[in-house]
Amino acid sequence: MLISGDVVIFNVFYEIFTVCTSIVAEDHTGKLYHARNLDFGLFLGWDVKNSTWMVTQKLKPLMVSLDFQRNNKTVFRSANLAGYVGMVSGIKPGIFTLTMNERFSIDGGYIGVFEWIFGKRDGWWMSFLTRTVLENGTSYEEVKDKLANTRLLAPAYFILAGNKSGQGCVITRSRTAALDVWNLDTKNSIWYVLETNYDRWKVPLVVDDRRTPAMKCLNKTLQENVSLPNLYNVLSTKPILNKLTVSTTLMDVSENVMETYLRDCPNPCSPW
Ligand SMILES: *[C@@H]1O[C@H](CO)[C@@H](O)[C@H](O)[C@H]1NC(C)=O
Ligand SMILES: *[C@@H]1O[C@H](CO)[C@@H](O)[C@H](O)[C@H]1NC(C)=O
Ligand SMILES: *[C@@H]1O[C@H](CO)[C@@H](O)[C@H](O)[C@H]1NC(C)=O
Ligand SMILES: *[C@@H]1O[C@H](CO)[C@@H](O)[C@H](O)[C@H]1NC(C)=O
Ligand SMILES: *[C@@H]1O[C@H](CO)[C@@H](O)[C@H](O)[C@H]1NC(C)=O
Ligand SMILES: *[C@@H]1O[C@H](CO)[C@@H](O)[C@H](O)[C@H]1NC(C)=O
């Protein structure tokens, strides 16, 4: 694949300055829903006059939905930033849905990315991996295994949902291994899994806790009320919705739904 210098730099920035919230939830009939906010532009220029992040504002019009076809048939669909070669959120109709969140980790952090820039190519760009599994993955289990075990350039969280009860997980990755796989388990009342940008066994940064409010909202929603509109409401709750939020994407694998909404966070609203 040919990649221009600008695109590489854009991807490097993308891989570094994105924070996100992703949720997979199962309703009482075993139906799976997957939703995410894409938050982009942290540290890339706060506009005091407008109380906005300049890069976030610039990116909003670049959000596009793509339909990848082979022989006139949809292979997968994704919600992407135009010009960005990886896959941010994607759906393989009838089979699985996938999102990726940034994992800021000091151990092993971005060494791989910088090595890559300087010529040592040891591991996969996280977003090329998501693209590959969306294009060629054929089942939840197969994709889960690939996401857990492929060597990466940097740590990441993969949030994956399949097409039947129990098929939902958050995979916490270091460059080389899956550190944790958090699975849905409705028999034990785990009817949703969610990820922001912190390992689930650690407390989130106090100034950036989107996890607790998201869990509070979901707990209040109750499993019997899970639906795409309700997940949209959860993702519209501040500070899960914040000034970095570019878009909200909602996916329902069984109905082949993927909808992306551009977002604004009216004041008062947290900068992140
Ligand atoms: C502030 O936002 C308005 C519209 O949203 C835009 O026209 C204006 O250029 C922005 N100001 C700056 C300094 O970017
Ligand atoms: C794909 O669809 C278009 C428009 O529906 C049609 O013109 C074209 O012949 C189709 N191509 C194939 C390979 O079926
Ligand atoms: C998917 O598989 C096909 C056939 O093996 C291959 O040509 C293609 O490059 C693969 N796609 C990606 C993104 O790896
Ligand atoms: C669910 O995914 C499996 C592959 O894991 C596939 O064989 C099956 O047809 C899918 N079910 C539906 C209802 O699409
Ligand atoms: C939400 O419910 C789960 C499961 O009952 C519980 O472990 C968690 O502490 C609750 N979180 C919040 C923020 O209410
Ligand atoms: C959940 O749905 C039930 C009906 O199934 C309704 O009575 C209740 O008000 C709903 N709760 C919320 C928080 O939406």
Side-chain angles (χ1 to χ4, degrees):
M1 184 184 293
L2 197 69
I3 315 167
S4 78
D6 280 353
V7 172
V8 170
I9 296 305
F10 184 35
N11 275 280
V12 170
F13 273 92
Y14 175 79
E15 306 273 3
I16 296 178
F17 293 102
T18 314
V19 293
C20 288
T21 303
S22 291
I23 300 169
V24 169
E26 177 174 333
D27 74 9
H28 62 294
T29 68
K31 205 166 171 217
L32 291 160
Y33 301 94
H34 192 155
R36 75 114 93 239
N37 275 2
L38 178 66
D39 302 354
F40 183 87
L42 189 57
F43 308 130
L44 297 179
W46 178 253
D47 180 342
V48 176
K49 257 216 227 103
N50 280 359
S51 302
T52 55
W53 294 93
M54 287 173 208
V55 172
T56 307
Q57 289 307 104
K58 283 213 175 78
L59 280 177
K60 273 185 189 165
L62 290 177
M63 209 55 214
V64 290
S65 294
L66 300 175
D67 193 321
F68 291 80
Q69 303 194 337
R70 197 182 284 147
N71 304 326
N72 270 4
K73 232 179 126 242
T74 295
V75 177
F76 65 91
R77 295 195 290 148
S78 78
N80 261 7
L81 296 168
Y84 174 63
V85 288
M87 297 294 134
V88 178
S89 311
I91 180 169
K92 185 119 185 176
I95 313 276
F96 69 89
T97 53
L98 171 65
T99 58
M100 182 185 72
N101 287 12
E102 208 53 41
R103 178 164 180 259
F104 305 95
S105 162
I106 295 163
D107 53 313
Y110 286 94
I111 294 164
V113 172
F114 293 113
E115 282 178 356
W116 192 90
I117 294 168
F118 292 109
K120 183 172 170 229
R121 313 271 153 98
D122 183 16
W124 283 57
W125 281 98
M126 295 64 80
S127 40
F128 283 124
L129 179 59
T130 60
R131 192 212 150 102
T132 299
V133 298
L134 278 162
E135 190 169 324
N136 287 339
T138 56
S139 75
Y140 172 79
E141 293 301 340
E142 175 205 326
V143 168
K144 186 177 173 185
D145 179 65
K146 276 226 170 62
L147 295 173
N149 296 312
T150 305
R151 192 179 170 87
L152 301 173
L153 286 171
Y157 300 103
F158 295 115
I159 302 88
L160 178 68
N163 64 12
K164 64 170 194 249
S165 175
Q167 292 187 332
C169 65
V170 174
I171 302 168
T172 301
R173 281 295 313 265
S174 71
R175 289 180 66 192
T176 52
L179 303 180
D180 179 69
V181 180
W182 183 16
N183 290 299
L184 286 177
D185 181 7
T186 48
K187 282 195 196 74
N188 291 307
S189 309
I190 302 173
W191 58 272
Y192 66 82
V193 290
L194 79 101
E195 182 53 55
T196 59
N197 302 93
Y198 302 95
D199 297 344
R200 73 177 171 116
W201 59 92
K202 293 181 185 155
V203 284
L205 213 57
V206 174
V207 295
D208 181 29
D209 184 4
R210 285 162 285 128
R211 183 205 294 163
T212 309
M215 288 180 92
K216 245 186 222 146
C217 269
L218 284 161
N219 287 359
K220 255 200 321 219
T221 302
L222 305 177
Q223 187 182 8
E224 69 200 61
N225 294 327
V226 174
S227 64
L228 289 184
N230 276 343
L231 288 180
Y232 186 88
N233 288 342
V234 171
L235 290 173
S236 303
T237 307
K238 295 167 189 175
I240 307 160
L241 179 72
N242 58 66
K243 291 287 187 191
L244 289 170
T245 307
V246 172
S247 62
T248 297
T249 296
L250 304 175
M251 297 184 280
D252 173 343
V253 75
S254 58
E255 307 290 336
N256 189 16
V257 170
M258 182 169 76
E259 295 167 349
T260 297
Y261 301 87
L262 297 182
R263 303 307 303 267
D264 264 309
C265 186
N267 290 323
C269 174
S270 162
W272 58 76

